[in-house]
Amino acid sequence: MVENEEAVISEEEAAQYDRQIRLWGLEAQKRLRGSRVLLVGMKGLGAEVAKNLILAGVKALTLLDHQQTTPDDARSQFLIPTGSSGKNRAEASLERAQNLNPMVEVKVDTENIKDKPQEFLTQYDAVCLTCCPRDVMVRTDHFCRTHNIKFFAGDIFGYHGYMFADLGEHEFVEEKQKVVKVGTGDEDGPKTKKVKIDPNETTMIKKTVNFCHLKEALEVDWSNEKDSSLKRTPSDYFLLQVLLKFRTVKARDPSPDSYADDCELLLQMRNDVLDSLGVKSDLLTDEFTSTCFSELAPVCAVVGGVLSQEIVKALSQRDPPHNNFFFFDGLKSIGIVDCIASK
């Protein structure tokens, strides 16, 4: 984590971020303005996260992506101008990203995150990975935890999306309405013990929450869990396991260009992955294969909004964070926050 000098909000910045300062306070905005963020992966989800962080007013944002743009990016990546096919995704996104807020320093890195020395991450206060293989996410999370760097990950697979956060031991403040005692002046009686909430007065409460590693969250042993516990666990958690396995084996995500072959492989991987986790394969019906291809812009917008919100909350140390997964099912329009970790 970077040792930051206390950020100073200029008059111009105070005017720019007036609404946000009114919402979460000057101190929270100062912490945000002193923060540097690394965002890996500039597909549709990365574009949503970048847009929201730049508008929120972080100090600096680095867009890292080693891949070139494709026709598929036009469906969900609004920062890339028309006619940019074949250009590096991060470089193609830079101009529009920077124009969102000239007060934020936006940089581009075209190297592969896998080729970066891990010490590279120490210049950032938060790291957010999208479009990355499981082993890269686990390794990066471990390094971030040991260096007090806030870690986030997220992805979109068709109608499904998720985000994960590992903030280590995270301290934050939460604003609560003040509770005041109400009495009639009598020394005895039930009225003297009544309390009420005063909507005009609030108080700030400091709290601490602990997160688990991504590796721990993905390697939960479900074989001894009761059926009722499995029913309470979002099915998208198990879907994520299958899709990360597919990404590891094929070095890509399921593609419409190879729809039939990918569907067959996904079904095979579902059986293998769920068996290794100790759960029945019918936890994911065969129909799941038709709903996890490409990135859908509305799903990117929802998950990107939640993911960037959690980054802002973590950096500003304001309000309780989601611990530790958020899953979104676009078919049902349902978002679920769940804490999944070894007991």
Side-chain angles (χ1 to χ4, degrees), residues 1-21:
M1 182 176 180
V2 184
E3 293 295 332
N4 294 320
E5 296 181 2
E6 184 176 352
V8 177
I9 302 292
S10 66
E11 290 186 9
E12 184 181 5
E13 290 173 323
Q16 171 86 359
Y17 305 121
D18 176 70
R19 195 173 108 182
Q20 294 165 203
I21 292 172

Side-chain angles (χ1 to χ4, degrees), residues 147-260:
H147 289 77
N148 197 28
I149 302 168
K150 308 300 183 185
F151 174 82
F152 298 87
D155 271 305
I156 303 297
F157 302 98
Y159 287 92
H160 305 274
Y162 87 97
M163 65 140 285
F164 171 84
D166 177 8
L167 309 183
E169 184 177 328
H170 179 64
E171 296 181 350
F172 64 95
V173 294
E174 184 176 10
E175 186 175 13
K176 294 283 190 179
Q177 290 182 324
K178 197 170 184 179
V179 177
V180 295
K181 292 183 178 181
V182 178
T184 59
D186 299 328
E187 294 183 1
D188 298 312
K191 291 185 177 180
T192 60
K193 298 181 181 180
K194 286 185 177 180
V195 297
K196 74 171 185 178
I197 295 176
D198 186 345
N200 298 317
E201 290 191 49
T202 59
T203 182
M204 305 302 292
I205 300 175
K206 290 185 178 181
K207 295 184 177 181
T208 302
V209 61
N210 290 290
F211 287 72
C212 76
H213 291 279
L214 176 62
K215 186 174 188 293
E216 179 186 342
L218 293 177
E219 294 183 355
V220 174
D221 181 6
W222 297 91
S223 58
N224 296 322
E225 294 292 334
K226 297 180 180 178
D227 288 343
S228 58
S229 177
L230 288 173
K231 288 180 180 179
R232 290 195 301 269
T233 303
S235 61
D236 277 12
Y237 168 80
F238 301 102
L239 174 61
L240 171 63
Q241 299 271 17
V242 176
L243 292 166
L244 290 180
K245 178 69 173 180
F246 185 100
R247 181 180 287 176
T248 297
V249 172
K250 302 291 289 186
R252 62 173 176 84
D253 291 337
S255 171
D257 296 333
S258 51
Y259 180 80

Side-chain angles (χ1 to χ4, degrees), residues 70-89:
T70 67
D72 287 344
D73 292 324
R75 298 185 185 130
S76 58
Q77 223 287 25
F78 52 82
L79 293 178
I80 297 178
T82 304
S84 299
S85 183
K87 295 182 180 179
N88 175 271
R89 277 200 194 108

